[in-house]
Amino acid sequence: MPDPTWAGAPVERVAVVGAGLAGCLLAALLGRRGIAVDLYERRADPRTAGAERGRSINLAISARGLDALDRVGLADQALAEALPMRGRTLHPVRGALGFQSYSADGTRAINSIGRARLNHALLDCAEKTADVTLHFEHRLTAVDADTGTLTFAEGGTRQADVVIGADGAWSAVRRSLQFSEGFDFRQDFLPHGYKELEIPPTPGGDFALDPGSLHIWPRGSSMMIALPNTDRSFTCTLFWPKAGPGGFAALDTPEAVTAYFAAQYPDAVPLMPRLVEDFLRNPVGSLVTIRCAPWVRGRVALLGDAAHAIVPFFGQGANCAFEDCVELDRCLDAAGGDLARALPRYQERRKANAEAIADMALENFVEMSDRVNSPVFRWTARARHALERAVPGYVSRYELVSFTTVPYSEIDGRIRRQDRIAGAVALGAATGAAAAAATLRRVRS
Protein backbone atom coordinates (compact mmCIF):
# COMPACT_ATOMS: atom_id res chain seq x y z
CA MET A 1 0.00 0.00 0.00
CA PRO A 2 1.57 3.33 -1.04
CA ASP A 3 2.17 6.16 1.40
CA PRO A 4 -0.51 8.92 1.43
CA THR A 5 -0.15 11.81 -1.00
CA TRP A 6 0.70 14.12 1.90
CA ALA A 7 3.78 12.03 2.79
CA GLY A 8 6.64 14.25 3.83
CA ALA A 9 4.40 17.09 5.00
CA PRO A 10 4.87 18.02 8.67
CA VAL A 11 2.32 16.63 11.15
CA GLU A 12 1.75 19.16 13.88
CA ARG A 13 -1.71 18.14 15.11
CA VAL A 14 -3.59 14.83 15.17
CA ALA A 15 -7.30 14.52 15.90
CA VAL A 16 -8.36 11.26 17.56
CA VAL A 17 -12.12 10.83 17.45
CA GLY A 18 -13.59 8.71 20.23
CA ALA A 19 -12.45 8.82 23.87
CA GLY A 20 -13.21 5.20 24.56
CA LEU A 21 -10.60 2.61 25.46
CA ALA A 22 -8.59 2.62 22.22
CA GLY A 23 -8.87 6.36 21.57
CA CYS A 24 -7.52 7.26 25.02
CA LEU A 25 -4.64 4.78 24.77
CA LEU A 26 -3.70 6.01 21.31
CA ALA A 27 -3.85 9.66 22.40
CA ALA A 28 -1.49 8.90 25.30
CA LEU A 29 0.95 7.02 23.07
CA LEU A 30 1.01 9.80 20.47
CA GLY A 31 1.26 12.53 23.10
CA ARG A 32 4.29 10.83 24.63
CA ARG A 33 5.99 11.22 21.25
CA GLY A 34 5.49 14.98 21.40
CA ILE A 35 2.63 14.93 18.87
CA ALA A 36 -0.15 17.43 19.68
CA VAL A 37 -3.40 15.46 19.99
CA ASP A 38 -7.00 16.68 20.17
CA LEU A 39 -9.16 13.87 21.59
CA TYR A 40 -12.83 14.38 20.66
CA GLU A 41 -15.77 12.60 22.32
CA ARG A 42 -19.48 12.98 21.56
CA ARG A 43 -20.51 12.22 25.16
CA ALA A 44 -20.08 14.28 28.28
CA ASP A 45 -17.10 13.31 30.40
CA PRO A 46 -18.10 9.85 31.73
CA ARG A 47 -15.99 10.39 34.85
CA THR A 48 -18.58 12.94 35.99
CA ALA A 49 -21.65 12.04 33.92
CA GLY A 50 -21.58 8.31 34.67
CA ALA A 51 -21.59 5.27 32.37
CA GLU A 52 -24.42 4.44 29.99
CA ARG A 53 -26.53 1.95 31.92
CA GLY A 54 -27.05 -1.57 30.64
CA ARG A 55 -24.59 -1.54 27.74
CA SER A 56 -21.14 -2.02 29.23
CA ILE A 57 -20.34 -5.74 28.76
CA ASN A 58 -17.58 -6.41 31.27
CA LEU A 59 -14.14 -6.70 29.75
CA ALA A 60 -11.91 -9.76 29.90
CA ILE A 61 -8.45 -8.22 29.67
CA SER A 62 -5.72 -10.73 28.86
CA ALA A 63 -2.08 -10.73 27.71
CA ARG A 64 -2.50 -8.50 24.67
CA GLY A 65 -4.39 -5.83 26.56
CA LEU A 66 -2.02 -5.94 29.51
CA ASP A 67 0.97 -5.57 27.19
CA ALA A 68 -0.60 -2.44 25.71
CA LEU A 69 -1.59 -0.96 29.07
CA ASP A 70 1.92 -1.57 30.39
CA ARG A 71 3.25 0.82 27.75
CA VAL A 72 1.44 3.71 29.45
CA GLY A 73 2.03 2.46 32.99
CA LEU A 74 -1.52 1.18 33.60
CA ALA A 75 -1.11 -2.62 33.62
CA ASP A 76 -0.56 -2.92 37.37
CA GLN A 77 -3.45 -0.57 38.12
CA ALA A 78 -5.75 -2.54 35.83
CA LEU A 79 -4.80 -5.82 37.49
CA ALA A 80 -5.31 -4.32 40.94
CA GLU A 81 -8.86 -3.38 39.93
CA ALA A 82 -9.62 -6.66 38.17
CA LEU A 83 -10.58 -10.17 39.24
CA PRO A 84 -8.70 -13.13 37.67
CA MET A 85 -10.84 -15.88 36.12
CA ARG A 86 -8.94 -19.15 35.68
CA GLY A 87 -11.64 -21.07 33.86
CA ARG A 88 -15.31 -21.53 33.05
CA THR A 89 -17.95 -22.78 35.47
CA LEU A 90 -20.81 -24.39 33.55
CA HIS A 91 -24.34 -24.20 34.94
CA PRO A 92 -26.64 -26.88 33.50
CA VAL A 93 -30.42 -26.68 33.81
CA ARG A 94 -30.20 -29.63 36.18
CA GLY A 95 -27.28 -31.40 37.79
CA ALA A 96 -23.90 -30.48 39.19
CA LEU A 97 -21.76 -27.55 38.08
CA GLY A 98 -18.77 -28.27 35.86
CA PHE A 99 -15.43 -26.46 35.66
CA GLN A 100 -13.11 -26.14 32.65
CA SER A 101 -9.68 -24.63 33.25
CA TYR A 102 -8.32 -22.15 30.70
CA SER A 103 -4.78 -23.52 30.97
CA ALA A 104 -3.13 -26.88 31.47
CA ASP A 105 -1.71 -25.97 34.88
CA GLY A 106 -4.81 -24.07 36.01
CA THR A 107 -2.86 -20.92 36.89
CA ARG A 108 -3.37 -18.65 33.89
CA ALA A 109 -6.32 -16.30 33.99
CA ILE A 110 -8.22 -13.70 32.05
CA ASN A 111 -9.13 -10.63 34.08
CA SER A 112 -12.63 -9.28 34.63
CA ILE A 113 -12.76 -5.49 34.79
CA GLY A 114 -15.57 -3.03 34.32
CA ARG A 115 -15.38 -1.09 31.05
CA ALA A 116 -16.21 2.21 32.77
CA ARG A 117 -13.49 1.76 35.40
CA LEU A 118 -10.81 1.11 32.78
CA ASN A 119 -12.06 3.93 30.54
CA HIS A 120 -11.78 6.36 33.45
CA ALA A 121 -8.19 5.29 34.10
CA LEU A 122 -7.30 5.74 30.43
CA LEU A 123 -8.99 9.14 30.31
CA ASP A 124 -6.94 10.21 33.32
CA CYS A 125 -3.79 8.92 31.61
CA ALA A 126 -4.54 10.78 28.35
CA GLU A 127 -5.45 13.97 30.19
CA LYS A 128 -2.18 13.93 32.15
CA THR A 129 -0.12 13.40 29.00
CA ALA A 130 1.56 16.54 27.69
CA ASP A 131 0.24 17.71 24.30
CA VAL A 132 -3.11 15.87 24.66
CA THR A 133 -6.28 17.99 24.91
CA LEU A 134 -9.69 16.44 25.64
CA HIS A 135 -12.87 17.80 24.03
CA PHE A 136 -16.16 16.37 25.33
CA GLU A 137 -19.63 16.88 23.82
CA HIS A 138 -18.22 17.21 20.34
CA ARG A 139 -20.32 15.05 18.00
CA LEU A 140 -18.59 14.63 14.65
CA THR A 141 -20.82 14.83 11.58
CA ALA A 142 -18.21 14.75 8.81
CA VAL A 143 -14.51 14.66 8.08
CA ASP A 144 -12.80 15.61 4.85
CA ALA A 145 -10.16 12.98 4.07
CA ASP A 146 -8.30 15.30 1.71
CA THR A 147 -7.95 18.29 4.05
CA GLY A 148 -8.39 16.84 7.56
CA THR A 149 -11.30 19.21 8.28
CA LEU A 150 -13.69 17.98 10.99
CA THR A 151 -17.27 19.26 11.21
CA PHE A 152 -19.23 18.97 14.46
CA ALA A 153 -22.95 18.99 15.20
CA GLU A 154 -22.46 21.71 17.79
CA GLY A 155 -21.29 24.02 15.03
CA GLY A 156 -17.97 25.02 13.55
CA THR A 157 -15.05 23.07 12.16
CA ARG A 158 -11.63 22.06 13.39
CA GLN A 159 -8.49 21.29 11.44
CA ALA A 160 -6.00 18.44 11.85
CA ASP A 161 -3.07 17.15 9.84
CA VAL A 162 -4.26 13.58 10.51
CA VAL A 163 -7.63 12.28 11.74
CA ILE A 164 -7.81 8.85 13.40
CA GLY A 165 -11.24 7.35 13.95
CA ALA A 166 -11.38 5.32 17.17
CA ASP A 167 -15.11 5.98 17.58
CA GLY A 168 -16.46 2.45 17.68
CA ALA A 169 -18.59 0.19 15.55
CA TRP A 170 -20.92 3.02 14.52
CA SER A 171 -18.00 5.27 13.64
CA ALA A 172 -18.82 8.73 12.28
CA VAL A 173 -15.29 8.89 10.84
CA ARG A 174 -15.81 5.68 8.89
CA ARG A 175 -19.25 6.86 7.73
CA SER A 176 -17.56 9.84 6.07
CA LEU A 177 -15.50 7.40 4.00
CA GLN A 178 -18.01 4.63 3.41
CA PHE A 179 -19.58 5.94 0.23
CA SER A 180 -16.39 7.05 -1.46
CA GLU A 181 -15.18 5.18 -4.51
CA GLY A 182 -13.14 2.07 -3.75
CA PHE A 183 -14.14 1.83 -0.08
CA ASP A 184 -15.35 -1.67 0.78
CA PHE A 185 -17.69 -2.07 3.75
CA ARG A 186 -19.58 -5.04 5.16
CA GLN A 187 -21.53 -5.49 8.38
CA ASP A 188 -22.91 -8.86 9.50
CA PHE A 189 -25.43 -8.89 12.33
CA LEU A 190 -26.09 -11.98 14.38
CA PRO A 191 -29.79 -12.73 14.92
CA HIS A 192 -28.87 -12.55 18.60
CA GLY A 193 -28.66 -9.50 20.82
CA TYR A 194 -27.40 -8.93 24.34
CA LYS A 195 -28.89 -7.58 27.55
CA GLU A 196 -27.19 -6.99 30.88
CA LEU A 197 -28.48 -8.06 34.29
CA GLU A 198 -26.89 -8.21 37.73
CA ILE A 199 -26.27 -10.68 40.53
CA PRO A 200 -25.67 -8.48 43.61
CA PRO A 201 -23.57 -9.50 46.63
CA THR A 202 -25.23 -11.80 49.14
CA PRO A 203 -27.02 -10.23 52.14
CA GLY A 204 -23.80 -10.91 54.07
CA GLY A 205 -21.77 -8.95 51.52
CA ASP A 206 -20.04 -11.89 49.83
CA PHE A 207 -19.89 -13.14 46.24
CA ALA A 208 -22.96 -15.19 45.33
CA LEU A 209 -20.84 -17.34 42.96
CA ASP A 210 -17.19 -18.35 42.70
CA PRO A 211 -15.37 -15.09 41.77
CA GLY A 212 -12.43 -16.94 40.25
CA SER A 213 -14.41 -18.16 37.28
CA LEU A 214 -16.36 -16.97 34.27
CA HIS A 215 -19.81 -18.47 34.70
CA ILE A 216 -21.73 -19.77 31.69
CA TRP A 217 -25.30 -21.04 31.40
CA PRO A 218 -25.04 -22.69 27.94
CA ARG A 219 -28.42 -23.41 26.34
CA GLY A 220 -27.61 -24.42 22.76
CA SER A 221 -28.66 -21.44 20.64
CA SER A 222 -28.36 -18.99 23.55
CA MET A 223 -26.54 -18.48 26.84
CA MET A 224 -26.04 -16.29 29.85
CA ILE A 225 -22.60 -15.44 31.23
CA ALA A 226 -21.56 -13.77 34.49
CA LEU A 227 -18.29 -11.96 35.27
CA PRO A 228 -17.27 -10.91 38.78
CA ASN A 229 -16.81 -7.31 39.90
CA THR A 230 -14.67 -5.93 42.71
CA ASP A 231 -17.80 -4.79 44.60
CA ARG A 232 -18.68 -8.53 44.85
CA SER A 233 -21.48 -8.34 42.35
CA PHE A 234 -21.58 -10.14 38.98
CA THR A 235 -22.42 -8.55 35.66
CA CYS A 236 -24.61 -11.01 33.76
CA THR A 237 -25.04 -10.82 30.01
CA LEU A 238 -27.76 -12.64 28.10
CA PHE A 239 -26.94 -13.58 24.51
CA TRP A 240 -30.32 -14.54 23.09
CA PRO A 241 -32.12 -14.43 19.76
CA LYS A 242 -33.88 -11.11 19.34
CA ALA A 243 -37.08 -12.75 18.11
CA GLY A 244 -38.83 -16.11 18.17
CA PRO A 245 -39.22 -18.65 21.00
CA GLY A 246 -36.68 -18.00 23.73
CA GLY A 247 -35.93 -14.56 22.28
CA PHE A 248 -35.99 -11.15 23.92
CA ALA A 249 -39.18 -10.05 22.19
CA ALA A 250 -41.12 -13.03 23.55
CA LEU A 251 -40.64 -12.00 27.18
CA ASP A 252 -42.61 -8.79 27.58
CA THR A 253 -44.40 -9.30 30.89
CA PRO A 254 -43.17 -9.95 34.44
CA GLU A 255 -44.90 -13.33 34.43
CA ALA A 256 -43.21 -14.41 31.19
CA VAL A 257 -39.77 -13.34 32.45
CA THR A 258 -40.20 -15.15 35.77
CA ALA A 259 -41.47 -18.37 34.17
CA TYR A 260 -38.76 -18.50 31.50
CA PHE A 261 -35.88 -17.89 33.89
CA ALA A 262 -37.26 -20.45 36.34
CA ALA A 263 -37.23 -23.03 33.56
CA GLN A 264 -33.89 -22.15 31.93
CA TYR A 265 -31.75 -20.63 34.72
CA PRO A 266 -33.21 -22.08 37.92
CA ASP A 267 -30.05 -21.70 40.03
CA ALA A 268 -29.60 -18.05 39.03
CA VAL A 269 -33.11 -16.81 39.81
CA PRO A 270 -32.71 -16.76 43.63
CA LEU A 271 -29.53 -14.71 43.18
CA MET A 272 -31.18 -11.96 41.09
CA PRO A 273 -33.67 -10.00 43.23
CA ARG A 274 -34.09 -7.32 40.52
CA LEU A 275 -34.39 -9.79 37.65
CA VAL A 276 -37.77 -8.72 36.31
CA GLU A 277 -37.12 -4.99 36.76
CA ASP A 278 -33.71 -5.12 35.08
CA PHE A 279 -34.87 -7.38 32.25
CA LEU A 280 -37.81 -5.19 31.28
CA ARG A 281 -35.87 -1.93 31.66
CA ASN A 282 -32.41 -2.61 30.21
CA PRO A 283 -31.91 -2.23 26.45
CA VAL A 284 -31.06 -4.94 23.96
CA GLY A 285 -27.75 -4.36 22.18
CA SER A 286 -26.74 -5.62 18.75
CA LEU A 287 -23.94 -8.05 17.92
CA VAL A 288 -22.18 -7.13 14.70
CA THR A 289 -19.00 -7.95 12.81
CA ILE A 290 -17.72 -5.08 10.68
CA ARG A 291 -15.11 -5.44 7.97
CA CYS A 292 -13.91 -2.60 5.78
CA ALA A 293 -10.99 -1.47 3.62
CA PRO A 294 -8.95 0.58 3.27
CA TRP A 295 -8.37 1.68 6.85
CA VAL A 296 -6.24 4.59 5.61
CA ARG A 297 -7.51 7.12 3.08
CA GLY A 298 -6.00 10.54 2.57
CA ARG A 299 -5.45 12.11 5.97
CA VAL A 300 -7.86 9.73 7.72
CA ALA A 301 -7.23 6.35 9.38
CA LEU A 302 -9.45 3.92 11.28
CA LEU A 303 -8.58 1.93 14.39
CA GLY A 304 -10.28 -0.51 16.76
CA ASP A 305 -13.99 -1.21 16.30
CA ALA A 306 -14.23 1.58 13.73
CA ALA A 307 -12.05 -0.56 11.46
CA HIS A 308 -13.03 -4.07 12.56
CA ALA A 309 -15.78 -4.53 15.14
CA ILE A 310 -16.06 -8.12 16.36
CA VAL A 311 -18.52 -10.04 18.52
CA PRO A 312 -17.48 -10.50 22.17
CA PHE A 313 -17.32 -14.28 22.38
CA PHE A 314 -13.54 -14.57 22.65
CA GLY A 315 -13.21 -11.60 24.98
CA GLN A 316 -10.82 -9.97 22.53
CA GLY A 317 -12.54 -6.79 21.35
CA ALA A 318 -10.67 -4.43 23.68
CA ASN A 319 -7.50 -6.53 23.57
CA CYS A 320 -7.49 -6.38 19.77
CA ALA A 321 -8.12 -2.62 19.70
CA PHE A 322 -5.29 -2.09 22.19
CA GLU A 323 -3.02 -4.13 19.90
CA ASP A 324 -3.92 -1.78 17.04
CA CYS A 325 -2.53 1.10 19.12
CA VAL A 326 0.64 -0.83 19.91
CA GLU A 327 1.16 -1.75 16.26
CA LEU A 328 0.72 1.83 15.12
CA ASP A 329 3.22 2.90 17.78
CA ARG A 330 5.68 0.28 16.49
CA CYS A 331 5.16 1.44 12.91
CA LEU A 332 5.94 4.99 14.01
CA ASP A 333 9.21 3.71 15.47
CA ALA A 334 10.05 1.97 12.21
CA ALA A 335 9.10 5.06 10.19
CA GLY A 336 11.14 7.45 12.30
CA GLY A 337 7.99 9.08 13.67
CA ASP A 338 6.53 9.81 10.20
CA LEU A 339 2.76 9.16 10.35
CA ALA A 340 2.42 9.23 6.58
CA ARG A 341 4.70 6.20 6.33
CA ALA A 342 3.51 4.53 9.52
CA LEU A 343 -0.25 4.46 8.83
CA PRO A 344 -0.19 2.30 5.66
CA ARG A 345 2.20 -0.14 7.35
CA TYR A 346 -0.09 -0.31 10.38
CA GLN A 347 -2.94 -1.41 8.09
CA GLU A 348 -0.78 -3.97 6.31
CA ARG A 349 0.31 -5.55 9.59
CA ARG A 350 -3.08 -5.51 11.34
CA LYS A 351 -5.71 -6.29 8.67
CA ALA A 352 -5.13 -10.06 8.54
CA ASN A 353 -5.03 -10.24 12.33
CA ALA A 354 -8.36 -8.42 12.62
CA GLU A 355 -9.95 -10.80 10.10
CA ALA A 356 -8.60 -13.82 11.97
CA ILE A 357 -9.93 -12.83 15.41
CA ALA A 358 -13.29 -11.85 13.90
CA ASP A 359 -13.69 -15.38 12.56
CA MET A 360 -12.50 -16.99 15.80
CA ALA A 361 -14.92 -14.86 17.85
CA LEU A 362 -17.87 -16.04 15.75
CA GLU A 363 -16.76 -19.66 16.11
CA ASN A 364 -16.43 -19.28 19.87
CA PHE A 365 -20.11 -18.41 20.26
CA VAL A 366 -21.01 -21.93 19.19
CA GLU A 367 -18.38 -23.32 21.56
CA MET A 368 -19.57 -21.33 24.58
CA SER A 369 -23.31 -21.74 24.04
CA ASP A 370 -23.39 -25.35 22.91
CA ARG A 371 -20.17 -27.37 22.54
CA VAL A 372 -19.04 -26.88 26.15
CA ASN A 373 -21.89 -29.22 27.15
CA SER A 374 -20.64 -32.00 24.90
CA PRO A 375 -18.75 -34.95 26.42
CA VAL A 376 -16.64 -35.00 23.23
CA PHE A 377 -15.69 -31.34 23.77
CA ARG A 378 -14.78 -31.97 27.39
CA TRP A 379 -12.66 -34.99 26.45
CA THR A 380 -10.93 -32.98 23.70
CA ALA A 381 -10.15 -30.14 26.13
CA ARG A 382 -8.64 -32.59 28.63
CA ALA A 383 -6.61 -34.23 25.86
CA ARG A 384 -5.22 -30.86 24.73
CA HIS A 385 -4.24 -29.95 28.27
CA ALA A 386 -2.52 -33.34 28.58
CA LEU A 387 -0.60 -32.62 25.38
CA GLU A 388 0.43 -29.22 26.78
CA ARG A 389 1.88 -30.94 29.83
CA ALA A 390 3.53 -33.74 27.87
CA VAL A 391 4.78 -32.04 24.68
CA PRO A 392 7.14 -29.06 25.13
CA GLY A 393 5.86 -26.05 23.18
CA TYR A 394 2.36 -27.40 22.60
CA VAL A 395 -0.20 -24.65 23.36
CA SER A 396 -3.97 -24.67 22.83
CA ARG A 397 -5.67 -22.13 20.59
CA TYR A 398 -7.36 -20.53 23.59
CA GLU A 399 -4.02 -20.02 25.32
CA LEU A 400 -2.41 -18.61 22.17
CA VAL A 401 -5.24 -16.09 21.84
CA SER A 402 -5.55 -15.13 25.50
CA PHE A 403 -2.16 -15.64 27.08
CA THR A 404 0.32 -14.73 24.33
CA THR A 405 0.84 -11.94 21.82
CA VAL A 406 1.31 -14.34 18.89
CA PRO A 407 -0.38 -12.61 15.92
CA TYR A 408 -3.97 -13.78 15.55
CA SER A 409 -3.41 -14.59 11.89
CA GLU A 410 -0.66 -17.10 12.76
CA ILE A 411 -2.58 -19.05 15.39
CA ASP A 412 -4.58 -21.49 13.25
CA GLY A 413 -1.47 -22.39 11.23
CA ARG A 414 0.47 -23.01 14.42
CA ILE A 415 -2.31 -25.23 15.79
CA ARG A 416 -2.33 -27.29 12.59
CA ARG A 417 1.45 -27.75 12.78
CA GLN A 418 1.24 -28.69 16.46
CA ASP A 419 -1.50 -31.22 15.77
CA ARG A 420 0.52 -32.81 12.96
CA ILE A 421 3.54 -33.12 15.24
CA ALA A 422 1.45 -34.46 18.11
CA GLY A 423 -0.19 -36.95 15.74
CA ALA A 424 3.20 -38.11 14.52
CA VAL A 425 4.43 -38.48 18.10
CA ALA A 426 1.33 -40.45 19.03
CA LEU A 427 1.69 -42.65 15.93
CA GLY A 428 5.35 -43.23 16.73
CA ALA A 429 4.50 -44.14 20.30
CA ALA A 430 1.76 -46.51 19.15
CA THR A 431 4.09 -48.13 16.58
CA GLY A 432 6.82 -48.51 19.19
CA ALA A 433 4.38 -50.04 21.65
CA ALA A 434 3.15 -52.48 19.01
CA ALA A 435 6.71 -53.47 18.12
CA ALA A 436 7.56 -53.93 21.79
CA ALA A 437 4.50 -56.10 22.28
CA ALA A 438 5.41 -58.24 19.27
CA THR A 439 8.97 -58.67 20.58
CA LEU A 440 7.62 -59.64 24.00
CA ARG A 441 5.35 -62.22 22.42
CA ARG A 442 8.29 -63.73 20.49
CA VAL A 443 10.41 -63.86 23.64
CA ARG A 444 7.65 -65.58 25.56
CA SER A 445 7.08 -68.11 22.81
Side-chain angles (χ1 to χ4, degrees):
M1 182 177 180
D3 293 340
T5 54
W6 50 274
V11 174
E12 296 179 356
R13 186 162 294 275
V14 171
V16 175
V17 181
L21 302 174
C24 290
L25 177 63
L26 180 63
L29 289 170
L30 294 177
R32 289 179 177 213
R33 290 180 170 274
I35 298 173
V37 178
D38 288 301
L39 180 57
Y40 295 102
E41 171 56 48
R42 65 177 178 81
R43 303 168 296 169
D45 188 338
R47 294 170 295 182
T48 55
E52 189 175 3
R53 182 177 178 85
R55 288 189 183 274
S56 68
I57 297 192
N58 267 40
L59 301 172
I61 296 297
S62 49
R64 298 167 197 272
L66 291 172
D67 174 67
L69 292 171
D70 191 49
R71 294 165 190 265
V72 292
L74 287 181
D76 289 342
Q77 179 180 336
L79 286 173
E81 297 176 350
L83 289 166
M85 302 177 294
R86 292 182 172 80
R88 303 163 170 164
T89 294
L90 308 181
H91 295 249
V93 176
R94 289 175 294 276
L97 303 183
F99 180 78
Q100 297 175 356
S101 175
Y102 285 138
S103 63
D105 60 9
T107 62
R108 289 182 168 177
I110 57 177
N111 302 282
S112 174
I113 186 169
R115 179 183 294 271
R117 184 185 293 267
L118 184 56
N119 201 172
H120 293 180
L122 282 161
L123 278 165
D124 290 342
C125 178
E127 191 169 49
K128 293 173 184 175
T129 303
D131 296 315
V132 176
T133 305
L134 276 58
H135 306 271
F136 294 102
E137 298 182 90
H138 278 64
R139 184 165 64 87
L140 184 76
T141 57
V143 58
D144 188 316
D146 293 325
T147 65
T149 303
L150 302 98
T151 304
F152 295 95
E154 295 75 20
T157 62
R158 298 288 182 91
Q159 199 69 32
D161 298 307
V162 177
V163 179
I164 300 178
D167 50 340
W170 316 118
S171 168
V173 177
R174 189 189 64 236
R175 190 166 59 246
S176 291
L177 305 178
Q178 261 174 241
F179 301 103
S180 60
E181 183 178 355
F183 191 90
D184 294 327
F185 172 75
R186 173 183 163 191
Q187 57 183 16
D188 297 305
F189 286 90
L190 288 181
H192 296 69
Y194 72 88
K195 183 190 288 278
E196 287 196 343
L197 305 173
E198 184 186 37
I199 293 176
T202 66
D206 205 352
F207 287 102
L209 300 168
D210 173 17
S213 176
L214 185 153
H215 293 262
I216 307 179
W217 288 258
R219 299 296 183 261
S221 63
S222 65
M223 65 176 171
M224 179 170 76
I225 67 171
L227 280 74
N229 299 306
T230 53
D231 66 359
R232 301 193 174 186
S233 68
F234 283 82
T235 299
C236 302
T237 308
L238 300 169
F239 296 103
W240 289 5
K242 289 187 174 181
F248 287 116
L251 305 185
D252 56 1
T253 67
E255 295 76 17
V257 173
T258 300
Y260 189 81
F261 273 79
Q264 292 296 320
Y265 308 104
D267 65 329
V269 171
L271 310 178
M272 306 171 80
R274 296 191 304 274
L275 167 62
V276 172
E277 176 189 354
D278 288 350
F279 185 92
L280 295 177
R281 179 188 59 194
N282 289 351
V284 176
S286 295
L287 297 167
V288 64
T289 300
I290 288 177
R291 307 172 199 259
C292 69
W295 293 356
V296 179
R297 169 154 289 184
R299 293 180 178 271
V300 174
L302 301 174
L303 179 141
D305 283 357
H308 52 72
I310 64 176
V311 293
F313 304 119
F314 226 124
Q316 288 296 301
N319 292 287
C320 182
F322 284 158
E323 267 200 333
D324 285 356
C325 300
V326 170
E327 189 59 61
L328 179 51
D329 198 45
R330 287 189 182 123
C331 290
L332 277 165
D333 279 338
D338 184 349
L339 264 171
R341 293 170 53 209
L343 286 170
R345 286 154 182 75
Y346 144 76
Q347 176 182 313
E348 289 170 3
R349 295 178 183 180
R350 287 300 293 167
K351 188 70 166 71
N353 292 300
E355 294 286 345
I357 191 56
D359 292 339
M360 287 190 280
L362 288 165
E363 292 168 13
N364 220 44
F365 174 63
V366 179
E367 177 174 311
M368 292 177 69
S369 65
D370 191 17
R371 289 179 189 156
V372 289
N373 279 325
S374 163
V376 173
F377 177 88
R378 293 195 294 271
W379 181 90
T380 301
R382 288 194 296 269
R384 285 198 179 276
H385 284 332
L387 280 170
E388 289 175 61
R389 290 188 292 268
V391 180
Y394 189 97
V395 186
S396 69
R397 184 172 81 161
Y398 189 92
E399 292 204 54
L400 286 170
V401 169
S402 298
F403 305 133
T404 78
T405 56
V406 171
Y408 294 122
S409 60
E410 297 178 10
I411 288 175
D412 277 349
R414 175 165 170 172
I415 292 298
R416 287 192 295 271
R417 290 192 297 273
Q418 285 185 166
D419 287 348
R420 284 197 297 270
I421 293 169
V425 170
L427 179 61
T431 302
T439 300
L440 184 59
R441 285 195 296 273
R442 287 196 299 272
V443 169
R444 286 177 175 173
S445 62

